[in-house]
Amino acid sequence: MKRFLRDNGLTLVLGLLFVACLAGQALTGLTSESADRAQHGEPALHMVAYLGSGAFLSSLFENWESEFLQMSTYVVLTAYLMQRGSPESKDLDAENPQDRDPALDAARADAPWAVRAGGLVRTIYAHSLGLTLFALFLASFALHFLNSARDAAEQAAAHGEEASGLLAHLGEAGFWFESFQNWQSEFLSTAVLVVLSIFLRERGSPESKPVSAPHSKTGTG
């Protein structure tokens, strides 16, 4: 157990933080929703009903969407673009192991199965991280859209108004505002990390250069 915790500590702690924050979102969201419904003389929702509501699921997937967009974009951009001095970038002045042709390692026994298989399988595997993250973005975007439309329909019904269709909702400014307000913050925070890591350090973190490394050093190697 001790070795398992040591080997997987980062994932476990991030997972616990995710669950804690998700619980906080659910509790505070239900409190806010209950207050709004009370103001309009509507019956309060219990937790299970709230977790299945368009309002909660829309806000949940709205945030997941922006995270997966940021990660997929960053993974792909760092394969082709560089930033001198940042540990987040490949080295501009040396060969990078990430650029090595995987076909050269097809005979290695410890290489992933897809590398040894070759052909289209290896080509897809060579870009599998970016493709998977982008697929998660598309799935989160679709779930955000569907639940945002559902929430809008629920709000319209509560006020005795006619709900707009899915296609009409896709063209509404409110839906895109929900997405853009998160997208811009993700790209800003990533750009800030890339630039600040040129000049600032965090001892012990693989996201930082060694504390004594010159500002001009690019990459963590």
Side-chain angles (χ1 to χ4, degrees), residues 29 32-40 42-43 45 50 53-58 146-164 169 172 178:
S32 177
E33 179 72 13
S34 297
D36 287 343
R37 295 175 71 88
Q39 285 183 340
H40 294 89
E42 300 171 0
L45 292 177
Y50 175 67
S53 69
F56 175 76
L57 292 175
S58 175
L146 292 173
N147 284 286
S148 177
R150 182 174 153 222
D151 181 44
E154 292 170 351
Q155 294 296 325
H159 294 86
E161 302 171 355
E162 184 178 353
S164 60
H169 187 71
E172 291 183 0
E178 293 172 358

Side-chain angles (χ1 to χ4, degrees), residues 175-196:
F175 167 69
W176 288 102
F177 174 78
E178 293 172 358
S179 290
F180 283 127
Q181 69 173 334
N182 286 290
W183 295 2
Q184 57 85 16
S185 65
E186 294 296 335
F187 291 129
L188 173 65
S189 62
T190 304
V192 168
L193 174 62
V194 169
V195 174
L196 288 184

Side-chain angles (χ1 to χ4, degrees), residues 51-102:
L51 292 178
S53 69
F56 175 76
L57 292 175
S58 175
S59 65
L60 179 70
F61 291 117
E62 173 189 331
N63 284 281
W64 289 15
E65 161 198 317
S66 63
E67 298 297 335
F68 289 126
L69 174 63
Q70 178 265 332
M71 287 191 290
S72 62
T73 303
Y74 190 56
V75 165
V76 174
L77 288 181
T78 52
Y80 302 100
L81 303 177
M82 289 169 271
Q83 174 60 57
R84 185 174 295 281
S86 176
E88 298 292 315
S89 169
K90 293 188 293 185
D91 196 332
L92 289 83
D93 305 315
E95 292 187 3
N96 295 278
Q98 299 92 337
D99 295 329
R100 179 179 171 83
D101 185 351

Side-chain angles (χ1 to χ4, degrees), residues 85 195-201 209 215:
V195 174
L196 288 184
S197 63
I198 299 174
F199 307 102
L200 304 179
R201 310 285 187 268
K209 292 183 288 189
H215 294 330

